[in-house]
Structures are given as C-alpha cells and as structure tokens.
Amino acid sequence: MIDAILINPKGFELINDQTLPFGLLYTASYAIKDFNIKIIDKRMDNSWETNLISYLKENPVLVGITCMTGPMILDGLNISKIVRENSKAKIVWGGIHPSLEPLKTLKNELIDMVIVGEGEITFHELLKTLKKDLPLDNVDGLVYKDKDGLMKENKPRKLIMNLDEIPRLPYHLIDMDKYVQTKGIGNGRRSITFFTSRGCPHKCIYCYN
C-alpha cells in the first residue's frame, strides 16, 4: 500500500537539467521511516502519468506537488486534475510559489492544502494526522480548507536550525543513474549535485525571500 506520492512537475526547459529533486527528497526524509512514499519526477519519467495512475490505485491518502512560480503552476494543476479524477487523496502543494501565496494557491478547487516554508516535519505530521483521521489544526506550517470549504491558517512552522538533524535523504526513492552527469567533467567522471547549506545572507528585492 502506498501512503503518499510526491511529484515534481516540469518547469522552465533547461539544457541538461539533471538536478536531483531535492525538494521532494527532503520532504520525504522524516516520513519515509513510517510511511510508503513514491516519488515521480516528470522531468525524468516519460511514463509518469501511467505510473501516477497506477500508484493512485493503491489508495494513498496524500499527493504532494512542489511548485515554483512560472510554468510549473500550470503543469502542477494539470497533474492535480489527474489526481482528482482518479483518487480521493488529498492534494497538498508546497515549494516556493505556494509558500509565497498560500491563500491564493488554495483558492484553486484542485488544491486542498498548502505547506508553507520547510516541509520536512510538516509533511510527516500531516501524513500521521490524515492516516489517523485527526483534526488538521495542530499541524504547524499548514494552510488548508476545512470540511465547509473555509480556508484555515495554522501557526508557522519553526525553521530547522540544525541541518544535521535532518535524516539521510532517501535516495532509493529515485533512479539515481538518471541524475548522474558526465559532461564537462574531466576523464568522463560521474558527478551529482548536492546541497551543503540552506538560506542566503543577502536581501535581493527580486528574490522570494
């Protein structure tokens, strides 16, 4: 049985974009110890829709979609429509755009919830809450529609101050060979991208921070 599906829509078309879906991997990092989670990266999976519909047949309680401002919004909505037509799973959006505009994002009928800011602990708590059919008002960092369709904002989630507390990323949820890069590397050596920090000390006016 699958408990949750995490999906990376397509955004701007980038040349040789083999960046790992870090947002989804981090989101799954806490919850994977308790739940069965599948990741779909639409950039790398030509059979993504077939796989998604197959996963939905196992009755997950939650489908999470990450989104940046731009083309990802429309693609994410198209994915949400497929989920809505094939499942009773709740649809939660996270990432930069929903964190910037949670209430505006939640106005769309295809979206049930928004995780604001860092999603690792919020996603884990949300899954536990949904599986036990408990009220959502105790899940920090969540904006959601209640049973009457009214939008509710829970208190913000505190930032993870010590990144060493985050569990090892569940790389087994993706096909790592699809993300290995060799171009531009001496002697054809294999490489992948990774994060060593989080946040930024600058305050550029065009940045989402």
Side-chain angles (χ1 to χ4, degrees), residues 91-190:
I91 299 172
V92 59
W93 277 37
I96 294 173
H97 184 77
S99 292
L100 269 175
E101 297 282 2
L103 296 178
K104 187 179 292 185
T105 300
L106 199 59
K107 284 182 180 179
N108 194 286
E109 61 182 9
L110 294 172
I111 302 169
D112 301 308
M113 311 168 190
V114 168
I115 291 176
V116 178
E118 294 178 332
E120 295 93 338
I121 299 174
T122 303
F123 180 75
H124 189 198
E125 290 187 2
L126 176 59
L127 256 180
K128 288 190 288 186
T129 300
L130 290 174
K131 291 288 285 187
K132 295 179 181 179
D133 197 25
L134 297 173
L136 296 171
D137 52 357
N138 290 322
V139 181
D140 293 352
L142 186 71
V143 182
Y144 66 99
K145 295 170 186 166
D146 66 12
K147 294 179 180 179
D148 297 320
L150 299 176
M151 287 187 264
K152 304 285 187 179
E153 288 187 81
N154 293 349
K155 67 179 182 180
R157 168 75 55 186
K158 293 181 180 179
L159 293 176
I160 299 173
M161 301 307 294
N162 181 3
L163 299 184
D164 291 335
E165 294 176 355
I166 300 174
R168 177 179 170 82
L169 296 186
Y171 293 109
H172 65 279
L173 295 180
I174 59 176
D175 183 354
M176 288 294 292
D177 284 336
K178 291 182 177 180
Y179 301 91
V180 173
Q181 302 179 53
T182 56
K183 286 189 176 182
I185 306 297
N187 301 320
R189 288 180 296 177
R190 292 154 56 89

Side-chain angles (χ1 to χ4, degrees), residues 23-48:
L24 303 187
L25 290 170
Y26 275 103
T27 299
S29 61
Y30 282 85
I32 194 63
K33 67 178 182 178
D34 297 319
F35 300 102
N36 185 8
I37 299 170
K38 296 291 185 182
I39 285 181
I40 294 176
D41 187 349
K42 193 176 172 185
R43 300 171 304 154
M44 302 293 185
D45 187 355
N46 293 329
S47 302
W48 69 270

Side-chain angles (χ1 to χ4, degrees), residues 48-106:
W48 69 270
E49 186 170 352
T50 300
N51 292 333
L52 173 58
I53 293 173
S54 175
Y55 294 158
L56 291 173
K57 290 179 180 177
E58 297 196 35
N59 298 317
V61 297
L62 189 62
V63 175
I65 298 172
T66 185
C67 184
M68 293 181 66
T69 306
M72 262 187 162
I73 297 174
L74 180 58
D75 199 36
L77 290 174
N78 290 334
I79 295 169
S80 297
K81 187 172 185 292
I82 294 171
V83 175
R84 187 71 89 216
E85 291 173 348
N86 291 276
S87 171
K88 294 181 180 179
K90 295 294 185 182
I91 299 172
V92 59
W93 277 37
I96 294 173
H97 184 77
S99 292
L100 269 175
E101 297 282 2
L103 296 178
K104 187 179 292 185
T105 300
L106 199 59

